[in-house]
């Protein structure tokens, strides 16, 4: 099977999970890893499976990944599995769940076999800490606690969970 792992990452969270997914899938498949902005959409039909990763921005998928998904042709031969990173300790659970739903909705609309989505806590970009804290109206002591939790991810356990996600997806695709 030929697999593409592609992602958009600004803080290295999503890239770190993409690398774990690539390492696992490459154990028994021809696997390429590339950033979303380097994809040649015309070459996607060369793959059987795409793992597509995005951070969650403003209650949805980051724009480059959403744009990629929207640009995919209807009814391609490849299947898609998603993966996201999010700062859920700073935002509501609904924020990252809406990103997962976007994967599902776009794939359904385009007739693409969608195999599910892996989600992982990640670090929040330091440059937007103040803006997010104010927007969420979180007191300083609580914010410090939340950011300490965010800063611990992704970690080795998250990477192993991503690898398990790959094994689960591959077991369903191969059967």
């Amino acid at each position: 099977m030929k697999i593409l792992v592609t992602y958009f990452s600004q803080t290295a969270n999503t890239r770190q999970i993409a690398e774990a997914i690539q390492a696992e899938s490459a154990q028994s498949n021809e696997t390429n890893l590339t950033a979303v902005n380097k994809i040649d959409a015309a070459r996607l039909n060369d793959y059987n499976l795409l793992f597509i990763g995005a951070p969650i921005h403003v209650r949805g998928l980051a724009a480059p990944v959403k744009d990629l998904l929207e640009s995919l042709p209807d009814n391609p031969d490849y299947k898609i599995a998603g993966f996201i990173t999010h700062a859920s300790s700073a935002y509501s659970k609904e924020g990252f769940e809406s990103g997962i739903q976007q994967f599902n909705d776009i794939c359904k609309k385009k007739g693409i076999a969608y195999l599910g989505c892996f989600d992982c806590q990640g670090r929040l970009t330091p440059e937007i800490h103040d803006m997010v804290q104010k927007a969420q109206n979180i007191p300083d002591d609580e914010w410090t606690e939340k950011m300490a939790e965010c800063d611990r991810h992704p970690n080795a356990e998250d990477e192993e969970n991503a690898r398990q996600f790959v094994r689960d997806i591959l077991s369903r695709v191969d059967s």
Side-chain angles (χ1 to χ4, degrees):
M1 179 179 331
K2 193 167 179 187
I3 298 172
L4 174 66
V5 180
T6 188
Y7 64 92
F8 173 73
S9 188
Q10 292 174 296
T11 60
N13 295 330
T14 311
R15 183 183 72 226
Q16 184 177 342
I17 297 303
E19 289 169 350
I21 288 171
Q22 186 273 336
E24 185 64 34
S25 62
Q27 293 199 22
S28 58
N29 300 280
E30 180 183 342
T31 306
N32 295 313
L33 174 69
T34 190
V36 164
N37 65 342
K38 295 181 181 176
I39 286 182
D40 178 0
R43 305 285 320 263
L44 292 179
N45 280 325
D46 293 346
Y47 296 96
N48 308 102
L49 176 59
L50 310 178
F51 283 96
I52 301 176
I56 296 300
H57 290 175
V58 193
R59 300 181 59 92
L61 297 173
V65 171
K66 188 174 180 193
D67 292 346
L68 169 67
L69 289 168
E70 293 285 359
S71 74
L72 296 176
D74 291 348
N75 304 306
D77 290 335
Y78 49 78
K79 295 173 173 60
I80 290 179
F83 61 99
I84 62 167
T85 57
H86 52 81
S88 64
S89 63
Y91 295 100
S92 69
K93 184 177 179 182
E94 293 80 20
F96 77 83
E97 288 176 340
S98 65
I100 293 171
Q101 190 61 47
Q102 282 179 327
F103 266 118
N104 186 50
D105 293 347
I106 293 169
C107 287
K108 185 175 183 178
K109 179 177 83 174
K110 294 192 160 280
I112 300 170
Y114 175 65
L115 304 173
C117 190
F118 173 76
D119 77 270
C120 174
Q121 173 79 37
R123 293 173 295 280
L124 186 65
T125 305
E127 295 79 19
I128 66 170
H129 278 209
D130 289 342
M131 178 190 69
V132 173
Q133 182 183 4
K134 286 177 184 153
Q136 300 293 317
N137 198 24
I138 300 172
D140 288 344
D141 57 336
E142 187 179 332
W143 180 256
T144 300
E145 220 174 277
K146 288 178 179 287
M147 289 306 94
E149 177 60 27
C150 280
D151 288 344
R152 288 193 281 273
H153 298 276
N155 58 30
E157 181 180 353
D158 298 322
E159 290 176 1
E160 178 52 36
N161 290 338
R163 287 185 196 94
Q164 183 59 53
F165 173 71
V166 171
R167 291 188 293 270
D168 292 345
I169 293 295
L170 293 177
S171 71
R172 289 190 281 143
V173 171
D174 290 340
S175 54

